[in-house]
Amino acid sequence: MAFSKQVVVFLVLVGLFNLCNAQGLKLGFYKKTCPSVEAIVKKETASIMAVAPTLAAPILRMHFHDCFVRGCEASILLNSTTNNQAEKDSFPNLSLRGYGSIDRVKSAVEKKCPGVVSCADILALVARDAVSFLNGASWPVPLGRRDGNVSNSTEALFNLPPPFFNITQLKASFASKGLNTKDLVVLSGGHTIGTSHCSSFTNRLYNFTGVGDSDPSLDSNYVARLKRRCSATDTTTLVEMDPGSFKTFDIEYYSVVAKRRGLFTSDAALLADSETRAYVTSHATPQGSKDFLKDFAKSMVKMGKIGVLTGSQGEIRKTCGFVN
């Protein structure tokens, strides 16, 4: 019993520590040191999205993957070294793209304000502006994050919720980062943009329980369609997560999930919990669009405060792929 109390006290202290750090973030943080930072980021991001709008999804996912490992401190951007395999080379991150875009934005900011703006803040801003470019939500991004100097591939494996998680595992994963069940179902709506490799869901098509069967929670007609796209060993073909609408940040994802056509086990899991199922069904109609965008903005602000470094912690990297 004493041990349990100690664990509870420890978790409370960790939560308070993260909260104190998050309070070090504020709107207008660079008002005096780099007042044009948001304008620079928005301009560069718009230029990138105009040429490659499909980068929005992996950049949004990059921000999510950064925050879930060590907090939002840009450890996802660090390159591996001879003696260390970094997060970006961990299996869950191998399909991420857009590192060069973050470097491009960082370079533009460095030209105007050298050594002032962190890579963590730039990643948070680019993710926001990329989503906004696709007619999605927009949100105020409190700034003041500093960059970490540790990145370990193993930590990505243990901290990132994989696509095969069930609802209990998903809720526990999000709760460990200070996010609640509503944040889980709302942030899952980010799957309204982007694609996935077949290998992330073919287990649901060909050998779900080890006897050559399909996942019964996946619509049988959709199973047949997906089998025409993906063989059991396909690792290269890309499939839209929100068919017909994967380049627009909208509410269609919830209609897809409600029809039992979410690609991942983690998508289907949203129908296995009363709270997440209620959100899915109520937002599977166009009427829920404004509420979803508002909810997504709120959850993104919350996610962007996970485990941040502020004040004198960490550093301001000169180049995002390397510690100073």
Side-chain angles (χ1 to χ4, degrees):
M1 180 65 71
F3 175 76
S4 297
K5 288 182 178 179
Q6 289 175 348
V7 171
V8 170
V9 170
F10 174 75
L11 291 175
V12 169
L13 290 175
V14 169
L16 289 173
F17 176 75
N18 285 337
L19 180 61
C20 289
N21 278 3
Q23 289 175 341
L25 303 180
K26 65 179 182 179
L27 298 175
F29 180 83
Y30 298 107
K31 185 176 181 179
K32 293 182 179 179
T33 55
C34 191
S36 58
V37 60
E38 292 203 44
I40 295 171
V41 172
K42 185 174 183 178
K43 179 182 178 182
E44 290 296 324
T45 303
S47 296
I48 293 166
M49 291 298 111
V51 176
T54 57
L55 280 177
I59 287 174
L60 174 62
R61 186 164 160 246
M62 187 188 298
H63 183 34
F64 173 84
H65 281 209
D66 180 43
C67 291
F68 263 59
V69 183
R70 290 187 166 266
C72 311
E73 38 69 86
S75 54
I76 187 70
L77 303 178
L78 285 172
N79 293 332
S80 294
T81 63
T82 304
N83 301 316
N84 178 68
Q85 185 177 54
E87 289 172 36
K88 65 166 59 175
D89 292 318
S90 184
F91 180 76
N93 293 324
L94 294 180
S95 61
L96 289 181
R97 298 181 296 123
Y99 295 108
S101 296
I102 303 301
D103 290 339
R104 169 179 166 175
V105 177
K106 170 67 171 175
S107 294
V109 172
E110 282 291 305
K111 288 180 181 178
K112 185 70 175 180
C113 315
V116 173
V117 182
S118 69
C119 295
D121 276 345
I122 287 173
L123 178 54
L125 288 170
V126 173
R128 186 269 310 274
D129 291 343
V131 168
S132 181
F133 185 85
L134 297 185
N135 299 319
S138 186
W139 55 92
V141 179
L143 300 172
R145 298 167 189 77
R146 289 173 66 85
D147 299 322
N149 51 22
V150 174
S151 184
N152 186 289
S153 63
T154 304
E155 292 184 354
L157 288 173
F158 283 107
N159 283 278
L160 295 172
F164 53 78
F165 261 12
N166 61 36
I167 191 63
T168 301
Q169 294 167 316
L170 288 169
K171 289 170 73 171
S173 175
F174 275 64
S176 71
K177 307 302 177 185
L179 300 174
N180 60 31
T181 304
K182 183 175 182 180
D183 296 318
L184 163 61
V185 66
V186 168
L187 292 175
S188 294
H191 287 173
T192 185
I193 55 175
T195 57
S196 168
H197 287 95
C198 292
S199 52
S200 293
F201 58 85
T202 44
N203 68 302
R204 302 184 72 198
L205 306 180
Y206 292 101
N207 199 27
F208 189 63
T209 63
V211 293
D213 56 340
S214 300
D215 184 350
S217 69
L218 188 59
D219 175 65
S220 58
N221 292 325
Y222 198 47
V223 168
R225 187 188 305 178
L226 290 173
K227 281 185 173 181
R228 289 195 290 270
R229 291 288 305 278
C230 303
S231 70
T233 56
D234 191 330
T235 60
T236 57
T237 301
L238 291 171
V239 175
E240 299 170 9
M241 290 193 285
D242 185 356
S245 182
F246 79 110
K247 291 183 180 179
T248 304
F249 197 93
D250 55 29
I251 205 168
E252 290 302 312
Y253 165 78
Y254 295 108
S255 297
V256 170
V257 173
K259 293 175 183 175
R260 299 191 300 119
R261 294 187 172 190
L263 278 185
F264 310 131
T265 299
S266 57
D267 293 321
L270 298 179
L271 297 177
D273 173 85
S274 59
E275 184 178 351
T276 55
R277 183 173 62 251
Y279 193 93
V280 169
T281 54
S282 66
H283 288 76
T285 61
Q287 287 72 27
S289 183
K290 288 185 179 179
D291 285 341
F292 166 60
L293 294 180
K294 188 185 303 180
D295 290 342
F296 192 83
K298 185 176 181 180
S299 290
M300 284 299 296
V301 172
K302 190 174 177 182
M303 188 194 80
K305 295 179 179 179
I306 296 173
V308 294
L309 303 177
T310 59
S312 60
Q313 299 171 318
E315 63 182 13
I316 304 297
R317 284 187 222 142
K318 297 176 182 177
T319 305
C320 292
F322 306 89
V323 296
N324 291 343

